[in-house]
Amino acid sequence: MDLEWFDRVCGELQDSLDSICSKYDENGGMSVERGAKHPRMDFFIENGEEDRDYFCTIYFDPRNEEFYIESFDPDLGYESKVVLADIEDIVDAVHESFHIYLEEDVSVEEDMLDDDTEYYLTDNDEIERSNEDGDNSDIYLEEVDVEWETPEVTAYYQENEVEVTYQFGIVQETGDGVLRRVNRIWTEDDDLLKDETNFIFSKEEASTIIAMIASHMDSLSMME
């Protein structure tokens, strides 16, 4: 496949990114993957010597010779692609994604710590929680860098009884997809029970999963 246009834009884009904004100039970077079926440019922020937060990916369609960015519509529940006509559109897309990343970048400590809770590392480098009374809980949090692409979307709801929500994200280290399912059940005593599961899958698996579900939708029963 001919990547002349892709390589030329990559070279010009690097010069344009130098002036995207001061915060990006400090520790922002770009990597190029030419070997994929649709070559791509990944944009990231360096958080350490080997720690990167990826916040935007620009793809190139060699057949149509066009750049595009993938977008997920939570209302319709499927991905679409937005074609970027020229380098100005690409820079604008990266700039916008970067500022969305800055707004959503909340650390584990800021997100989970409260006045009554202390967190500390165990011997297995996991985070263990204890309360003010010194009573250690059995809750461990595995550190996986997931960028959530959608909010929690309600798939099923029955007032004062049950709610099922889904959320889609990307594992930053591997690029795999994550489907998070949260099941909330209200008991007769008005207690709330919460069950959470996460399903991780690759891009190659996604199309197969979607096709299998779509072809068997008529066989499924409605929740009662």
Side-chain angles (χ1 to χ4, degrees), residues 2-13 31-35 38-42 58-62 65-67:
D2 187 5
L3 296 181
E4 180 182 354
W5 175 236
F6 175 77
D7 293 335
R8 187 166 57 179
V9 170
C10 286
E12 294 181 4
L13 184 62
S31 62
V32 177
E33 176 54 65
R34 300 179 79 258
H38 279 198
R40 67 179 189 268
M41 295 174 287
D42 295 312
I58 304 293
Y59 296 92
F60 178 69
D61 183 346
E65 293 190 347
E66 62 184 17
F67 290 87

Side-chain angles (χ1 to χ4, degrees), residues 77-166:
Y78 63 77
E79 283 190 352
S80 60
K81 72 175 186 179
V82 179
V83 176
L84 306 173
D86 50 40
I87 193 169
E88 286 77 14
D89 289 342
I90 295 176
V91 173
D92 289 343
V94 175
H95 198 176
E96 181 180 356
S97 298
F98 176 61
H99 282 282
I100 292 175
Y101 158 78
L102 292 179
E103 293 173 1
E104 295 179 348
D105 183 27
V106 180
S107 66
V108 173
E109 291 79 9
E110 293 174 338
D111 192 32
M112 301 195 65
L113 296 183
D114 54 51
D115 293 338
D116 300 327
T117 306
E118 294 181 356
Y119 289 79
Y120 55 94
L121 289 176
T122 66
D123 293 337
N124 296 323
D125 291 332
E126 294 174 316
I127 300 177
E128 184 173 353
R129 186 176 72 181
S130 64
N131 55 32
E132 281 188 338
D133 298 331
D135 181 20
N136 295 338
S137 68
D138 294 326
I139 298 177
Y140 296 91
L141 305 175
E142 183 179 359
E143 293 186 13
V144 177
D145 187 11
V146 177
E147 182 175 347
W148 296 107
E149 303 290 334
T150 71
E152 282 193 45
V153 179
T154 300
Y156 178 80
Y157 178 73
Q158 191 168 350
E159 188 175 1
N160 297 327
E161 291 191 18
V162 63
E163 180 187 37
V164 180
T165 64
Y166 283 86

